[in-house]
Amino acid sequence: QVQLVESGGGVVQPGRSLRLSCAAAGFTFSNYAMHWVRQAPGKGLEWVSLISDDGSGKYYADSVQGRFTISRDNSKNALYLQMNSLRPEDTAVYYCARGQQWLIKNWGQGALVTVSS
Amino acid sequence: IVLTQSPGTLSLSPGERATLSCRASLSVGRNYLVWYQQKPGQAPSLLIYDASTRATGIPDRFSGSGSGTDFTLTISRLEPEDSAVYYCQQYATSPLNFGGGTKVEIK
């Protein structure tokens, strides 16, 4: 059974940094691409970033390019999202998701990030 | 690729047919178009991928069709538990954009 558990969310001031983590279980983590997707309160889904199974390929939405960095540690079955220079518009629930190549098949329950002074 | 979903909201009675549209600004390669269902307070869940393939455990009242730039999700006989927001997404080209969603309300 695929399990994805996000952590590291919270309240942060504009311009500051935050790192989200996602603990994966129930599958061979190193065989799968992983995604981050976010959803602002009351809004739709926004794809944020994708990392390939071995970490060699990384892709970002224009809205976070240059500010966010996706990474993974296959020895720890862990996915990360380093978020720098945070803005109020980055306020959202951030979902970790497992990909079959680029298709998202499984989702975590999400972690809320609030950017506010 | 920009995805435009219509209508924004669909209000129908149980047993009726729901037709949801997802239109792409450019052709979606290999018809790599997916539909997700999201119920209030929950994470999205996979319904249909490759434009027309039902995910495991999805009832056959859900079907997907289309190719190129025009895609459709059809719910043949609405059940009360189908009340949700439905999103399309293309996974052919980065950025992997989502559509804005269609809210299905059951009267």
Side-chain angles (χ1 to χ4, degrees):
Chain A
Q1 178 184 355
V2 174
Q3 292 187 359
L4 300 166
V5 180
E6 301 90 342
S7 61
V11 181
V12 61
Q13 293 180 329
R16 303 294 287 247
S17 300
L18 200 64
R19 188 175 88 153
L20 297 180
S21 300
C22 172
F27 64 100
T28 304
F29 183 70
S30 58
N31 287 352
Y32 291 86
M34 296 294 294
H35 300 251
W36 288 100
V37 176
R38 68 185 181 183
Q39 186 169 35
K43 302 297 184 183
L45 300 171
E46 180 186 15
W47 174 80
V48 172
S49 185
L50 157 69
I51 187 168
S52 62
D53 54 1
D54 65 358
S56 62
K58 300 178 183 181
Y59 305 84
Y60 298 94
D62 291 345
S63 58
V64 306
Q65 180 77 49
R67 299 188 300 123
F68 289 12
T69 302
I70 192 171
S71 63
R72 64 190 297 160
D73 186 337
N74 285 348
S75 68
K76 295 182 178 179
N77 291 347
L79 174 71
Y80 306 102
L81 186 67
Q82 177 67 42
M83 303 183 291
N84 298 333
S85 303
L86 282 161
R87 305 166 179 168
E89 55 265 34
D90 295 319
T91 294
V93 172
Y94 284 74
Y95 294 103
C96 162
R98 184 181 81 155
Q100 178 177 294
Q101 299 178 347
W102 286 14
L103 167 66
I104 294 173
K105 281 204 155 184
N106 305 93
W107 300 71
Q109 285 305 302
L112 177 62
V113 173
T114 302
V115 184
S116 174
S117 53
Chain B
I1 299 178
V2 176
L3 299 179
T4 302
Q5 291 188 241
S6 61
T9 302
L10 208 48
S11 185
L12 296 167
S13 298
E16 288 193 303
R17 181 186 193 93
T19 303
L20 287 65
S21 172
C22 176
R23 184 158 292 176
S25 60
L26 297 170
S27 183
V28 177
R30 302 184 185 183
N31 292 330
Y32 278 177
L33 191 287
V34 58
W35 292 92
Y36 298 101
Q37 178 191 64
Q38 187 178 33
K39 296 182 179 181
Q42 296 184 16
S45 61
L46 177 65
L47 277 180
I48 303 281
Y49 62 96
D50 292 350
S52 61
T53 303
R54 270 190 302 276
T56 303
I58 301 302
D60 60 7
R61 67 177 184 274
F62 290 91
S63 64
S65 63
S67 64
T69 60
D70 287 295
F71 299 89
T72 300
L73 174 68
T74 301
I75 312 172
S76 59
R77 299 170 306 278
L78 278 167
E79 304 266 353
E81 61 264 30
D82 298 335
S83 180
V85 180
Y86 294 83
Y87 294 94
C88 61
Q89 184 202 22
Q90 65 82 20
Y91 52 101
T93 305
S94 179
L96 309 183
N97 291 329
F98 287 89
T102 292
K103 184 177 184 179
V104 174
E105 298 177 339
I106 310 298
K107 294 177 183 175

